[in-house]
């Protein structure tokens, strides 16, 4: 089976990128990361990619007159690499419709809250300040809104009495590293069907594939 | 120890009222329901109260010129009964500041979602339509907003592939019946401290009390 060609966009330290690299290299997901693109040359995510022998590409958004021009350049780089699925891993630029329309329902993002609660930035702090008892993380397809796209997988963690932003973020991040590769694998297996804003997860085509996640994750 | 005097406001069938009655009569919570008040004479909740020998009171909101006048009458009835904690159990009237100020941080509500996700009405349907993977229920203190008050307890349930509004509501309701009496008991034990909008749960004063929930619930 040909592996899914994945392009990752990253601006930061790239811990989610690392978990995707690890699972890809170990063959636990049927995906190959063919390009890691970023807008900041010094992002540690790019260094992780280079260390894994993955092609990188830096496109400096400050050199473009508009968001659309920047997105057009990003799309061209991803298409050039034959990318079938775009994965956002701490990519800190909003995508315009130029980008989103170029990869319809082929862009995933991960967000460190149980959406629709706490969209946007600094969400672990917001969850703590709100006094929520649970938070978690969400992998979703990207649409034109801010963290509003159809939800693929969510994971829940408790918020504990003595949590601070750091301890809660770490607990959520551990779950992110589990569910993001899982979402990519479901996509690679062709098992995700978007109906309205609900994402249906089909059973595996070959039951033997489920052995990779035995006991089954879903 | 004197039992906490609880007044329940209910407009509907009162299944949460029933779980409070059951736990109160069996002595699992240190609370006595001294009054069940409603605005609809034919609410089944009132019948449940009568069957349990609990005083009831019907105050028809249509006979009052304003929300404030109605709330003043409700407050008078609750005070007359010596109520220390007001518990909303499917009470379908918004409370004015007249009511809220009369029982500061002494009014609880339960809501069938993981707040702050899905406030308002028809929330199980909204969670399904949104494509959320988890929902749950929330017991919170009532403030002036719609389902915005400080959160006391939350419980999480999964949303399953073939759920409909009915199946999801039933799964959530089973959790409501567990956490609402638990929240009342924490209040009765004096263990809830509201700090900003976070609710701190203090350890039990007498460790032996924890035996009631062994293994500990919190």
């Amino acid at each position: 089976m040909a592996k899914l060609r994945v392009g990752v966009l990253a601006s930061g330290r790239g811990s989610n990128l690392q978990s995707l690299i690890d699972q890809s290299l170990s063959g636990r997901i049927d995906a190959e990361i063919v390009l890691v693109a970023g807008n900041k040359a010094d992002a540690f995510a790019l260094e992780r990619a280079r260390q894994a022998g993955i092609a990188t590409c830096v496109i400096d958004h400050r050199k473009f007159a508009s968001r659309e021009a920047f997105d057009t350049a990003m799309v061209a780089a991803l298409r050039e690499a034959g990318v079938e699925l775009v994965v956002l891993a701490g990519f800190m630029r909003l995508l315009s419709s130029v980008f989103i329309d170029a990869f319809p329902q082929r862009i995933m993002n991960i967000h460190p809250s149980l959406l629709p609660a706490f969209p946007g930035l600094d969400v672990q702090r917001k969850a703590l300040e709100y006094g929520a008892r649970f938070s978690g993380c969400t992998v979703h397809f990207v649409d034109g809104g801010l963290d509003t796209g159809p939800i693929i997988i969510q994971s829940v963690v408790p918020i504990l009495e003595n949590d601070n932003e750091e301890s809660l973020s770490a607990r959520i991040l551990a779950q992110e590293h589990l569910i993001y590769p899982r979402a990519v694998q479901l996509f690679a297996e062709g098992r995700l069907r978007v109906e309205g804003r609900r994402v249906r997860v089909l059973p595996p085509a070959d039951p033997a594939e489920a052995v990779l996640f035995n006991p089954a994750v879903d």
Side-chain angles (χ1 to χ4, degrees), chain A:
Chain A
M1 182 167 102
K3 291 195 173 180
L4 178 73
R5 296 177 69 82
V6 173
V8 177
L9 306 195
S11 305
R13 73 199 158 102
S15 80
N16 271 306
L17 168 64
Q18 190 64 55
S19 83
L20 288 165
I21 290 173
D22 294 345
Q23 300 236 2
S24 166
L25 292 181
S26 69
R28 279 188 53 117
I29 60 176
D30 301 318
E32 181 186 2
I33 302 171
V34 295
L35 181 67
V36 175
N39 59 319
K40 291 179 181 173
D42 60 350
F44 187 58
L46 296 171
E47 178 58 27
R48 292 184 195 264
R50 283 187 289 265
Q51 284 176 13
I54 297 169
T56 63
C57 140
V58 176
I59 302 179
D60 186 345
H61 61 278
R62 293 167 301 184
K63 293 183 178 163
F64 292 84
S66 68
R67 194 179 297 277
E68 286 71 20
F70 171 72
D71 282 2
T72 300
M74 295 285 276
V75 167
L78 292 161
R79 284 206 170 129
E80 176 78 22
V83 164
E84 299 166 289
L85 174 69
V86 178
V87 169
L88 309 185
F91 186 64
M92 297 308 285
R93 305 286 302 168
L94 283 175
L95 300 176
S96 70
S97 59
V98 166
F99 195 107
I100 292 167
D101 294 347
F103 294 96
Q105 284 172 1
R106 291 180 163 266
I107 311 168
M108 286 186 188
N109 186 37
I110 193 159
H111 181 83
S113 81
L114 281 181
L115 292 171
F118 308 114
L121 295 175
D122 296 326
V123 297
Q124 294 93 340
R125 183 174 56 72
K126 285 174 186 160
L128 286 166
E129 287 176 359
Y130 195 91
R133 296 298 190 186
F134 292 97
S135 191
C137 45
T138 303
V139 179
H140 63 89
F141 285 115
V142 172
D143 65 10
L146 178 62
D147 303 321
T148 55
I151 291 172
I152 302 166
I153 304 187
Q154 293 186 303
S155 176
V156 176
V157 303
I159 296 180
L160 304 180
E161 193 79 15
N162 295 316
D163 263 334
N164 55 33
E165 209 174 329
E166 191 182 20
S167 62
L168 177 59
S169 297
R171 191 176 307 121
I172 292 172
L173 194 61
Q175 295 301 312
E176 293 179 43
H177 296 165
L178 293 176
I179 68 173
Y180 217 175
R182 178 70 183 147
V184 169
Q185 177 62 11
L186 288 172
F187 187 97
E189 293 176 13
R191 291 170 56 190
L192 300 178
R193 287 285 175 280
V194 181
E195 299 173 359
R197 57 163 300 121
R198 295 180 70 171
V199 180
R200 201 162 283 280
V201 179
L202 306 179
D206 175 0
E209 287 178 14
V211 173
L212 286 170
F213 301 92
N214 188 7
V217 175
D218 56 19

